[in-house]
Amino acid sequence: MSHDEAPPAAAKKKSPAEEAAEKRREKLTPGSLMKAVIRSGSGDATPADGDQVILHCTTRTMDNIVVNSTRREHGGKGVPLRFVLGRSKMILGFAEGFPTMLKGEIAMFKMEPKIHYAEDDCPVATPDGFPKDDELQFEIEMLDFFKAKVISEDLEVVKKIVDEGKGWETPREPYEVTARITARTADGKDILLSKEVPYFFTLGKSEVPKGLEMGIGSMARKEKATIYVSSTYLTGSSLMPQLEGLEEVHFEVELVQFTQVRDMLGDGRLIKRRVVDGRGEFPMDCPLHDSLLRVHYKGMLLDEPKSVFYDTKIDNDGEPLEFCSGEGLVPEGFEMCVRLMLPGEKSIVTCPPDFAYDKFPRPVNVPEGAHVRWEIELLGFEVPKDWTGLNFKEIMEEADKIKNTGNRLFKEGKFELAKAKYEKLLREYNHVHPQDDEEGKIFASSRNSLHLNVAACYQKIGEYRKSIEACNKVLDANPVHVKALYRRGMSYMLGGDFDDAKNDFEKMITVDKSSEPDATAALLKLKQREQEIEKKARKQFKGLFDKKPGEISEVGAESEGAKNAGDAAESSDAVTSTDRDGSVESSPRAEPDYAFEEERPGIIGRVWPSARRIFSSLGLNRCTIL
């Protein structure tokens, strides 16, 4: 090769399937596969990988004796064969011969045994008595081929798109679907005639055969398609109760419309039905992040549809409700559903009491334990202010607003919501860069208080290990931060790590003498807690080894009551305050403003955050809501 010649291009790496096909093709030798055209086809297109081919096949010996056929005149059932090139298992002669045919063509292929059923490692089984070791002739009529949408991995459900639909959204359980559907057998017999009125059904309720439901689940609005369904997926349904004995059905489907229905909790209790489409693309144009929302809504009792307890168009002087999401200003179920709405969308929401008004200030005419129905229209929303272009002072002012909202939520006992606000700020702080030492001190102090607020939230919901991790983010940069030591010590104590708690409280005295009264009080509390634990343990195992052989000692029953009493005593005197640097504190009256009392995780802590459920209902479990 001369110096001015370009080096050969690197060969494209072949997939394992391509390599296997090439290795299999090496079995072809001159004369092993011969083709004769009996009737010419139309056009110049031939099948390619990914195409479904539909064909009749008659197999004969070299003496012209028919040994197998799909045609009725030769003893077959009249049902054509279907293959997806590159996906279906087939003999080597078919894999090489089908791509040479035109639509409507009839050809005769003569094959030696090694490239039909006598091939080494042949992927297709043959019936007993089949002359697989003989040279055979295969008469093939290529009825049709098209680019296939494979619906089921076993190729038993395949779709042919006739007319493309609109948009990208497709229906899934439990969407409500309206479609025109006709059906015929594989040999062309009509079994479901066209109906003037489209069929209405709910996905996931077995109201249409399983294979048809799977195919419709891949269609867009206004799409027209043919869905090929084999017997495996021809389940009984109200649409077609009698399907026994059918090997395959071809469904002609026009997807007229579908209503987005979302099971927000996954248990059928909180359901959102979209009745009027909004503007934009779902879910990208939904207010997933905390935003200022404007909605009109009508609320009524689910069991009494006419009992409207609130209507913004009447009770709010016709003005929409404005609220900021992520601040606990509306019932949890309400906010979860609004976050998945598009501007202009109208939805009907049915909500259970625990996500409606049992944990939220109840309207006068809504009884406790009431299931409610909301008719909601999202007029629009405004996303949070972008910090781009703001100077440091303006950024810290915006941060204080968010922090103050978190503090309010903390005081209201909405610890998960408060934590989300603090963590949102901490993420935003990753993009803030102070310009001098003074700004650096302000920024570091603010970030430390946020970490400690997160730690406080984790303590309140009983996740002490995560609280300790939040404190460590402060102590890693400043090992003598007294408030972080105190908070971590309390988390250690509440989590049962008494030695670590003692070390933190004693270190407080070492690094700051002014904290000695607070640290001493904490150490006294720690000692009392250790004594209580020891006392409970002695009571629990009292008499366990005093029984005679064969007797069983009942333990734990009496200690449980003592445990509950002790917990109640510990949490009864807790109050909440806000420290000067904006951090939230939960403190007993007689202790410092950065002290804590134990509190067991409440209902809110166990069921929140909504974001987890919202993204779960979208199938985006790894996403985070701000």
Side-chain angles (χ1 to χ4, degrees):
M1 182 170 62
S2 63
H3 291 290
D4 47 5
E5 282 184 25
K12 182 181 178 182
K13 185 172 177 62
K14 296 174 182 175
S15 68
E18 290 174 330
E19 291 179 352
E22 277 197 10
K23 186 174 181 180
R24 194 179 180 203
R25 204 170 289 125
E26 292 173 0
K27 300 175 184 177
L28 290 168
T29 57
S32 60
L33 175 63
M34 306 289 290
K35 175 186 175 182
V37 176
I38 299 173
R39 185 184 74 191
S40 297
S42 59
D44 55 8
T46 57
D49 274 3
D51 286 357
Q52 174 165 272
V53 295
I54 302 176
L55 54 97
H56 273 302
C57 175
T58 299
T59 306
R60 296 182 175 89
T61 65
M62 298 306 294
D63 298 330
N64 210 33
I65 298 173
V66 175
V67 295
N68 192 24
S69 181
T70 58
R71 297 184 181 277
R72 282 200 174 91
E73 60 266 32
H74 295 306
K77 297 180 180 180
V79 177
L81 300 175
R82 288 192 299 113
F83 299 97
V84 177
L85 296 185
R87 297 284 297 272
S88 297
K89 296 178 180 179
M90 63 181 78
I91 60 175
L92 178 57
F94 285 176
E96 295 299 312
F98 293 160
T100 69
M101 299 186 70
L102 302 173
K103 192 172 294 186
E105 177 182 327
I106 299 178
M108 183 71 76
F109 291 93
K110 186 177 73 169
M111 303 183 197
E112 292 182 356
K114 65 181 181 179
I115 64 164
H116 58 71
Y117 297 98
E119 177 191 2
D120 294 337
D121 301 320
C122 180
V124 194
T126 54
D128 292 339
F130 190 89
K132 66 176 185 179
D133 295 322
D134 296 343
E135 191 172 46
L136 298 174
Q137 300 178 90
F138 296 84
E139 181 186 301
I140 306 296
E141 180 181 4
M142 183 62 66
L143 300 174
D144 194 12
F145 60 85
F146 51 84
K147 187 61 66 179
K149 169 71 174 177
V150 175
I151 305 299
S152 66
E153 287 299 316
D154 57 7
L155 310 179
E156 298 293 317
V157 183
V158 174
K159 183 181 78 170
K160 173 186 179 182
I161 298 176
V162 178
D163 288 330
E164 295 283 351
K166 297 180 179 179
W168 64 270
E169 190 178 7
T170 58
R172 60 187 179 91
E173 297 181 20
Y175 282 27
E176 296 168 349
V177 174
T178 303
R180 290 187 175 90
I181 304 171
T182 60
R184 64 177 185 275
T185 61
D187 57 354
K189 180 182 176 182
D190 290 329
I191 53 176
L192 184 64
L193 299 177
S194 176
K195 295 181 180 180
E196 292 184 8
V197 180
Y199 186 66
F200 175 83
F201 64 97
T202 301
L203 283 176
K205 291 192 175 181
S206 302
E207 295 174 352
V208 299
K210 180 63 177 177
L212 174 60
E213 187 175 80
M214 293 167 63
I216 289 176
S218 71
M219 297 177 68
R221 282 185 178 85
K222 307 301 181 183
E223 180 181 326
K224 294 181 180 179
T226 303
I227 301 172
Y228 299 81
V229 182
S230 296
S231 57
T232 308
Y233 294 91
L234 291 174
T235 55
S237 65
S238 54
L239 174 68
M240 302 176 70
Q242 299 297 326
L243 288 170
E244 293 180 7
L246 295 176
E247 292 187 7
E248 183 173 297
V249 175
H250 301 172
F251 295 95
E252 302 288 342
V253 181
E254 177 187 356
L255 184 54
V256 178
Q257 182 58 283
F258 57 81
T259 298
Q260 185 198 68
V261 181
R262 294 200 175 273
D263 184 349
M264 301 296 296
L265 302 175
D267 57 10
R269 298 190 306 133
L270 177 58
I271 300 294
K272 171 185 174 291
R273 295 180 68 253
R274 180 199 291 171
V275 293
V276 175
D277 290 341
R279 302 180 299 275
E281 292 292 332
F282 178 87
M284 289 79 73
D285 296 319
C286 296
L288 295 173
H289 301 288
D290 290 349
S291 307
L292 176 63
L293 303 163
R294 292 183 297 111
V295 302
H296 269 307
Y297 83 95
K298 181 192 294 185
M300 60 203 78
L301 302 181
L302 184 61
D303 298 332
E304 302 174 46
K306 295 182 180 180
S307 60
V308 177
F309 58 80
Y310 194 84
D311 186 342
T312 53
K313 295 182 179 179
I314 298 173
D315 301 306
N316 202 36
D317 298 325
E319 294 296 319
L321 170 69
E322 289 193 358
F323 69 96
C324 290
S325 55
E327 298 186 7
L329 299 175
V330 295
E332 187 176 358
F334 190 102
E335 180 169 320
M336 287 174 65
C337 293
V338 173
R339 284 184 185 268
L340 292 185
M341 294 178 67
L342 292 165
E345 177 184 330
K346 295 181 181 179
S347 287
I348 296 174
V349 174
T350 57
C351 184
D354 53 327
F355 282 81
Y357 294 105
D358 276 11
K359 298 178 188 173
F360 194 82
R362 239 182 3 260
V364 176
N365 44 358
V366 175
E368 185 177 356
H371 292 254
V372 300
R373 168 187 166 114
W374 292 303
E375 296 177 3
I376 306 172
E377 178 184 4
L378 176 59
L379 302 176
F381 64 91
E382 296 176 14
V383 297
K385 188 174 182 179
D386 187 359
W387 287 3
T388 303
L390 300 183
N391 60 38
F392 182 78
K393 181 181 178 182
E394 292 169 333
I395 288 174
M396 298 312 294
E397 288 174 352
E398 292 297 317
D400 283 341
K401 293 177 185 177
I402 300 174
K403 186 189 293 183
N404 290 337
T405 300
N407 294 349
R408 174 181 62 78
L409 292 168
F410 186 96
K411 293 175 184 178
E412 293 173 359
K414 299 171 182 176
F415 305 120
E416 287 283 2
L417 285 176
K419 181 167 68 68
K421 292 293 182 185
Y422 302 140
E423 289 177 334
K424 174 189 175 181
L425 266 180
L426 286 168
R427 286 192 295 271
E428 293 292 341
Y429 274 12
N430 291 331
H431 309 290
V432 177
H433 305 288
Q435 300 299 311
D436 55 44
D437 290 344
E438 186 61 30
E439 288 184 358
K441 291 177 182 177
I442 295 171
F443 181 70
S445 176
S446 179
R447 185 168 54 190
N448 286 343
S449 73
L450 287 172
H451 282 307
L452 294 179
N453 286 359
V454 169
C457 293
Y458 277 127
Q459 276 193 359
K460 285 295 187 180
I461 61 179
E463 296 190 32
Y464 306 125
R465 187 55 51 189
K466 290 184 178 179
S467 178
I468 292 166
E469 291 172 1
C471 294
N472 286 340
K473 292 177 181 177
V474 177
L475 291 167
D476 287 345
N478 182 5
V480 294
H481 195 290
V482 175
K483 185 179 292 186
L485 286 169
Y486 189 95
R487 188 151 301 172
R488 188 175 71 175
M490 294 300 292
S491 294
Y492 277 134
M493 184 183 74
L494 296 174
D497 296 329
F498 299 139
D499 290 341
D500 289 330
K502 183 179 180 182
N503 290 337
D504 278 347
F505 296 146
E506 290 178 344
K507 188 173 181 179
M508 287 173 59
I509 301 173
T510 303
V511 300
D512 185 353
K513 283 292 182 182
S514 66
S515 69
E516 185 171 355
D518 304 326
T520 302
L523 287 166
L524 178 61
K525 188 174 185 65
L526 175 64
K527 185 176 181 181
Q528 292 171 344
R529 190 170 184 84
E530 287 182 292
Q531 291 172 346
E532 288 171 4
I533 296 296
E534 185 179 351
K535 182 179 178 181
K536 290 176 184 178
R538 284 200 304 269
K539 186 177 291 187
Q540 181 178 9
F541 293 102
K542 182 180 179 182
L544 182 61
F545 303 105
D546 299 336
K547 299 294 180 181
K548 296 178 182 179
E551 291 185 3
I552 298 176
S553 178
E554 294 183 9
V555 297
E558 58 185 62
S559 64
E560 186 64 29
K563 174 180 180 295
N564 294 337
D567 291 343
E570 284 190 40
S571 60
S572 63
D573 63 341
V575 296
T576 305
S577 64
T578 305
D579 199 10
R580 287 185 296 275
D581 65 357
S583 60
V584 172
E585 317 300 342
S586 173
S587 60
R589 293 181 178 84
E591 295 194 3
D593 63 354
Y594 48 79
F596 283 85
E597 286 292 339
E598 178 181 12
E599 183 162 321
R600 297 284 183 252
I603 289 292
I604 293 177
R606 292 198 295 270
V607 301
W608 195 264
S610 295
R612 213 169 296 156
R613 296 192 185 90
I614 291 172
F615 278 94
S616 179
S617 72
L618 283 171
L620 303 175
N621 297 331
R622 297 179 65 123
C623 295
T624 302
I625 207 163
L626 295 184

